[in-house]
């Protein structure tokens, strides 16, 4: 895990980030070369100005004046071209790095256990993958190379100043320690401030994302005022985080400006006296030193400003690398690739807990024969849905063995395993895309004509064609344009076209209207025919015809058998459930 560092600059983190420039070495070196050119051109301008004053203006040599002016124009053009190339390719490099980094981050997140997402706020993950990575780009476009360029300028300027007049250079350097010390303090304070800013940005994103997603609940329970007040508090913390950075900037930059003015005043005073006395310090040298001093102090101010950008990028990089360093993947050591699945399932003494020492499944064992339809019933929290999650290896079991066709699922390559299992959930998730793309999930092996054929077979083709655009109808975010029953029907079609060896229906018929339920019941009969099916249901009427019913209570299997067998058990758990539901329906 990337750790929070109290240092003003984390070189270890920086070295790790720089490794992402390896594919762009030529661009990296070109940008560095452009920075060197800019530092040289920065000194040429004051030099030419000095020569113009001392050799053409004072002696009144018009021909030489034209030469020096032309030289300054030429240097200015070269500097402009170098500046353009420097800025363009520095930004190009930054965008290339964050593109690669974002791809790596997203690929890493795709492999996380479901448990990781259970415990992580979506808003924070979105912040890491989008805005934090975008902030990292500024390290290259506005931070690192700008700082290198400014440091090179300062070194070249100091060398030239010493060459021209050590006395005036000493005067300038006398002021320098103050601004260097202020810069150092400023860097440390700004690092802490930017860490606070990024934390508050994550909190704000997370809060807004959750409230917009759950706006229906907010409005149903009239929580608008409460959520508004909470938002104001979070937004205020966000503002205070930024105010800290403004406060440090408002202190530092006046100090830097004052130091520069003091240095220029000393140059004018001492250099002017020497020039008036006819010393080796000429008027041209004094004018050049005024410009050189400004050029020396300006990079210091800019370095501090660019260091702010660099710090924000480093803080963002630290957060992104924290996710990249997170080990939360299901071990995919299986090498067996399944061409087909008959569908025999076996759970042997399986134990599992989401939280350590709080078992959800307490050593359950059962068999499902190939082609059988097995129903799992029980109260909420009995462990029914957990069985589905473990079968697809979204979580790792604590003990026991789960096998398909007499093969431990840990020995099967993960994607191969999941490709033979289709799950229809109660809470159907649809992307903001067309119906066709939501059904095929952009799988090129599933042809549109096959989707049409499957829809007709399970009786939902007419429903889809009744929508504007038919299969090209955009269902919007989370399928908001469809009813819950319609979304459920599409999830059945999505499972059916995948042609799985094992089908799981997890509360697939709950919370829908009677018309949709009849369509879904017909679809269920069609897609479960000839394949192993596991049906989890609260409504027992939907699973009366199952080959086997497994009754669970508090993580244990308490009864097994078909519908009639279970009803014959006096004081049986299933019989009591059935009688309660039957009595409710009758009433």
């Amino acid at each position: 895990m990337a750790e929070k560092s109290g240092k003003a600059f984390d070189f270890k983190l920086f070295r790790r980030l720089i490794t992402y420039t390896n594919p762009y070495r030529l661009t990296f070196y070109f940008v560095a070369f452009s920075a060197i050119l800019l530092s040289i051109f920065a000194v040429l301008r004051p030099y030419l100005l000095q020569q113009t004053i001392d050799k053409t203006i004072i002696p009144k040599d018009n021909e030489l004046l034209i030469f020096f002016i032309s030289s300054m124009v030429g240097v200015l053009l070269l500097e402009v071209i170098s500046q353009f190339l420097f800025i363009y390719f520095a930004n190009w490099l930054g965008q290339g790095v964050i593109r690669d980094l974002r791809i790596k981050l997203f690929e890493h997140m795709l492999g996380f256990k479901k448990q990781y997402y259970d415990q992580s706020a979506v808003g924070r993950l979105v912040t890491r993958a989008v805005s934090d990575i975008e902030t990292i780009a500024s390290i290259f476009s506005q931070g690192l190379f700008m700082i290198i360029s400014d440091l090179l300028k300062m070194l070249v300027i100091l060398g030239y100043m010493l060459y021209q007049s050590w006395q005036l250079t000493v005067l300038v350097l006398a002021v320098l320690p103050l601004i260097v010390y202020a810069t150092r303090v400023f860097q440390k304070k700004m690092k802490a401030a930017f860490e606070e800013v990024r934390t508050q940005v994550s909190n704000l994103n997370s809060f807004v994302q959750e409230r917009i997603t759950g706006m229906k609940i907010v409005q149903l329970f009239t929580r608008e005022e409460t959520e508004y007040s909470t938002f104001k508090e979070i937004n205020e913390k966000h503002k205070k985080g930024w105010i800290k950075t403004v406060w440090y900037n408002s202190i530092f930059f006046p100090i830097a400006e004052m130091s520069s003015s003091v240095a220029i005043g000393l140059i004018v005073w001492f250099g002017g006296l020497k020039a008036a006395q006819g010393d080796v310090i000429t008027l041209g040298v004094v004018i050049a030193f005024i410009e050189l001093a400004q050029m020396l102090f300006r990079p210091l101010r800019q370095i501090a400003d660019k260091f702010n950008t660099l710090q924000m990028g480093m803080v963002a990089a630290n957060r992104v690398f924290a996710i990249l360093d997170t080990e939360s993947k299901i071990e995919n050591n299986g090498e067996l690739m399944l061409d087909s699945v008959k569908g025999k399932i076996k759970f042997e003494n399986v134990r599992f807990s989401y939280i350590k020492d709080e078992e959800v499944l307490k050593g359950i064992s059962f068999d499902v024969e190939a082609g059988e339809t097995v129903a799992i019933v029980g109260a909420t929290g009995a462990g029914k849905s957990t069985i589905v999650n473990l079968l697809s290896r979204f979580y790792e079991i604590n003990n026991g063995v789960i096998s398909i066709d007499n093969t431990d699922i840990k020995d099967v390559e993960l994607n191969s395993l999941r490709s033979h299992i289709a799950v229809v959930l109660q809470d159907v998730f649809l992307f903001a895309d067309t119906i066709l793309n939501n059904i095929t999930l952009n799988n090129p092996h599933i042809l549109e004509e096959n989707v049409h054929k499957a829809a007709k077979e399970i009786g939902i083709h007419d429903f889809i064609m009744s929508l504007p655009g038919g299969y090209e109808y955009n269902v919007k975010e989370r399928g908001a344009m469809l009813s819950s029953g319609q979304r459920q029907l599409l999830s059945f079609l999505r499972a059916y076209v995948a042609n799985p060896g094992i089908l799981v229906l997890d509360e697939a018929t709950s919370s829908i209207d009677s018309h949709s339920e009849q369509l879904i019941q017909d679809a269920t009969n069609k897609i479960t025919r000839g394949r192993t099916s596991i049906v989890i249901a609260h409504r027992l009427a939907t699973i009366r015809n199952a080959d086997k019913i497994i009754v669970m209570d508090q993580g244990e299997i308490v009864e097994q058998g078909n519908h009639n067998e279970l009803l014959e058990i006096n004081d049986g758990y299933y019989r009591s459930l059935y009688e309660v539901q039957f009595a409710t329906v009758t009433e």
Side-chain angles (χ1 to χ4, degrees):
M1 285 280 290
E3 294 180 358
K4 191 173 180 178
S5 172
K7 296 180 286 186
F9 191 80
D10 191 335
F11 284 98
K12 185 177 179 181
L13 178 65
F14 181 71
R15 284 195 301 270
R16 181 178 180 183
L17 187 61
I18 285 296
T19 60
Y20 285 86
T21 65
N22 289 338
Y24 313 101
R25 276 296 176 197
L26 287 177
T27 306
F28 185 90
Y29 292 139
F30 180 80
V31 174
F33 178 70
S34 299
I36 294 171
L37 285 179
L38 287 172
S39 64
I40 295 172
F41 291 138
V43 172
L44 276 177
R45 283 189 289 110
Y47 169 76
L48 290 171
L49 179 62
Q50 174 196 333
Q51 296 299 313
T52 302
I53 293 170
D54 289 341
K55 294 185 178 180
T56 66
I57 294 177
I58 294 176
K60 299 180 180 179
D61 188 336
N62 292 335
E63 290 184 6
L64 197 56
L65 176 63
I66 293 172
F67 169 76
F68 277 117
I69 290 174
S70 301
S71 298
M72 281 193 282
V73 171
V75 168
L76 183 62
L77 286 174
L78 289 173
E79 189 174 7
V80 168
I81 293 170
S82 297
Q83 190 79 30
F84 163 75
L85 293 173
F86 174 78
I87 293 172
Y88 177 81
F89 283 104
N91 279 275
W92 186 92
L93 178 63
Q95 290 301 317
V97 167
I98 67 167
R99 179 198 62 187
D100 296 345
L101 192 56
R102 187 177 279 128
I103 289 172
K104 184 174 181 179
L105 178 67
F106 189 70
E107 182 184 28
H108 190 66
M109 290 168 63
L110 284 174
F112 279 158
K113 296 178 184 177
K114 193 171 179 295
Q115 195 165 9
Y116 178 85
Y117 293 104
D118 294 342
Q119 300 169 352
S120 302
V122 174
R124 283 188 173 84
L125 295 177
V126 171
T127 301
R128 301 295 177 266
V130 181
S131 61
D132 276 346
I133 285 190
E134 200 62 45
T135 304
I136 292 173
S138 62
I139 290 178
F140 301 95
S141 60
Q142 302 172 39
L144 171 66
F145 291 113
M146 291 290 187
I147 290 174
I148 291 174
S149 177
D150 288 342
L151 286 173
L152 283 172
K153 283 181 184 178
M154 291 173 63
L155 287 173
V156 174
I157 288 169
L158 274 174
Y160 179 73
M161 290 170 74
L162 283 168
Y163 172 75
Q164 286 293 324
S165 172
W166 67 267
Q167 294 168 307
L168 290 178
T169 304
V170 168
L171 287 176
V172 173
L173 292 178
V175 181
L176 205 59
L178 172 62
I179 193 169
V180 169
Y181 175 75
T183 302
R184 182 65 177 167
V185 173
F186 179 69
Q187 290 169 357
K188 289 184 177 180
K189 295 293 185 182
M190 288 301 283
K191 178 177 173 61
F194 282 134
E195 284 178 343
E196 175 66 17
V197 166
R198 297 315 302 172
T199 298
Q200 295 307 326
V201 167
S202 292
N203 291 340
L204 193 62
N205 283 349
S206 182
F207 182 87
V208 171
Q209 187 271 335
E210 285 184 346
R211 269 55 187 186
I212 290 176
T213 303
M215 187 58 69
K216 185 176 181 180
I217 298 298
V218 171
Q219 293 177 347
L220 275 173
F221 290 89
T222 63
R223 304 298 296 169
E224 291 94 338
E225 290 187 12
T226 303
E227 298 300 337
Y228 174 69
S229 298
T230 306
F231 176 79
K232 283 177 66 177
E233 291 176 10
I234 296 173
N235 198 37
E236 181 66 21
K237 290 179 181 178
H238 179 259
K239 185 198 79 171
K240 287 179 179 178
W242 275 110
I243 289 295
K244 279 186 181 180
T245 68
V246 174
W247 168 251
Y248 294 138
N249 277 308
S250 64
I251 293 175
F252 173 76
F253 286 104
I255 292 174
E257 195 64 39
M258 180 190 68
S259 302
S260 176
S261 300
V262 169
I264 291 171
L266 290 172
I267 291 169
V268 172
W269 166 69
F270 185 80
L273 287 176
K274 290 293 183 180
Q277 294 170 4
D279 201 286
V280 291
I281 299 177
T282 64
L283 181 61
V285 171
V286 173
I287 299 298
F289 257 79
I290 291 173
E291 187 172 356
L292 287 166
Q294 289 177 324
M295 291 173 65
L296 182 67
F297 283 95
R298 191 183 306 124
L300 270 175
R301 295 196 299 271
Q302 289 178 347
I303 283 174
D305 194 27
K306 298 299 182 292
F307 202 88
N308 294 349
T309 302
L310 187 60
Q311 290 285 39
M312 286 195 73
M314 293 295 286
V315 170
N318 192 51
R319 294 175 183 274
V320 170
F321 285 138
I323 296 180
L324 284 173
D325 292 339
T326 299
E327 294 297 331
S328 183
K329 289 190 174 184
I330 296 290
E331 291 184 9
N332 190 13
N333 300 324
E335 298 180 356
L336 181 62
M337 305 296 291
L338 300 177
D339 294 326
S340 62
V341 167
K342 293 179 181 178
K344 182 179 180 181
I345 301 170
K346 188 177 184 68
F347 274 60
E348 298 178 74
N349 194 32
V350 173
R351 294 183 176 273
F352 172 75
S353 56
Y354 293 103
I355 302 171
K356 189 177 181 181
D357 298 328
E358 294 183 20
E359 282 192 331
V360 177
L361 297 182
K362 303 171 183 177
I364 66 168
S365 298
F366 65 87
D367 295 318
V368 180
E369 296 301 324
E372 270 191 337
T373 296
V374 174
I376 304 177
V377 300
T380 301
K384 305 184 299 296
S385 296
T386 300
I387 290 175
V388 174
N389 288 327
L390 296 182
L391 184 63
S392 299
R393 288 200 71 199
F394 287 120
Y395 300 89
E396 293 282 25
I397 60 177
N398 299 344
N399 289 297
V401 176
I402 302 174
S403 61
I404 293 178
D405 293 347
N406 299 316
T407 300
D408 191 331
I409 60 173
K410 290 185 178 181
D411 297 331
V412 181
E413 198 277 329
L414 196 57
N415 289 331
S416 177
L417 171 70
R418 291 176 179 172
S419 67
H420 292 283
I421 302 173
V423 182
V424 179
L425 299 171
Q426 174 186 356
D427 183 18
V428 179
F429 188 93
L430 297 178
F431 295 95
D433 205 337
T434 64
I435 285 178
L436 181 64
N437 288 340
N438 268 291
I439 292 168
T440 65
L441 297 177
N442 297 304
N443 185 341
H445 300 296
I446 302 176
L447 303 178
E448 184 173 355
E449 50 264 35
N450 293 340
V451 174
H452 291 191
K453 180 182 177 183
K456 291 173 183 176
E457 287 176 357
I458 64 174
I460 66 172
H461 177 74
D462 292 340
F463 141 64
I464 295 174
M465 293 306 296
S466 69
L467 298 171
Y471 288 86
E472 296 302 317
Y473 180 67
N474 193 310
V475 300
K476 304 302 180 184
E477 188 174 2
R478 300 183 69 88
M481 303 303 292
L482 303 175
S483 70
S484 59
Q486 290 171 330
R487 291 196 295 271
Q488 197 67 266
L489 287 169
L490 293 182
S491 72
F492 268 76
L493 181 56
R494 180 158 63 191
Y496 187 48
V497 297
N499 193 27
I502 298 172
L503 177 69
V504 178
L505 307 180
D506 189 355
E507 305 286 0
T509 57
S510 62
S511 68
I512 55 175
D513 58 84
S514 57
H515 175 68
S516 295
E517 183 175 0
Q518 184 57 51
L519 286 174
I520 288 173
Q521 193 61 54
D522 293 341
T524 301
N525 295 335
K526 177 66 179 178
I527 68 176
T528 57
R529 193 175 302 148
R531 60 167 54 90
T532 303
S533 303
I534 297 177
V535 181
I536 297 174
H538 277 300
R539 285 191 277 190
L540 305 186
T542 62
I543 47 98
R544 293 179 61 174
N545 296 324
D547 297 306
K548 184 192 296 182
I549 299 173
I550 297 173
V551 185
M552 296 191 66
D553 182 35
Q554 297 182 5
E556 297 180 318
I557 295 175
V558 293
E559 294 171 1
Q560 289 190 60
N562 61 37
H563 175 73
N564 293 326
E565 290 171 347
L566 293 175
L567 285 181
E568 291 176 1
I569 302 175
N570 292 325
D571 299 324
Y573 193 99
Y574 180 83
R575 180 173 176 174
S576 63
L577 283 176
Y578 184 79
E579 287 175 350
V580 168
Q581 288 194 15
F582 182 76
T584 303
V585 171
T586 303
E587 184 180 339

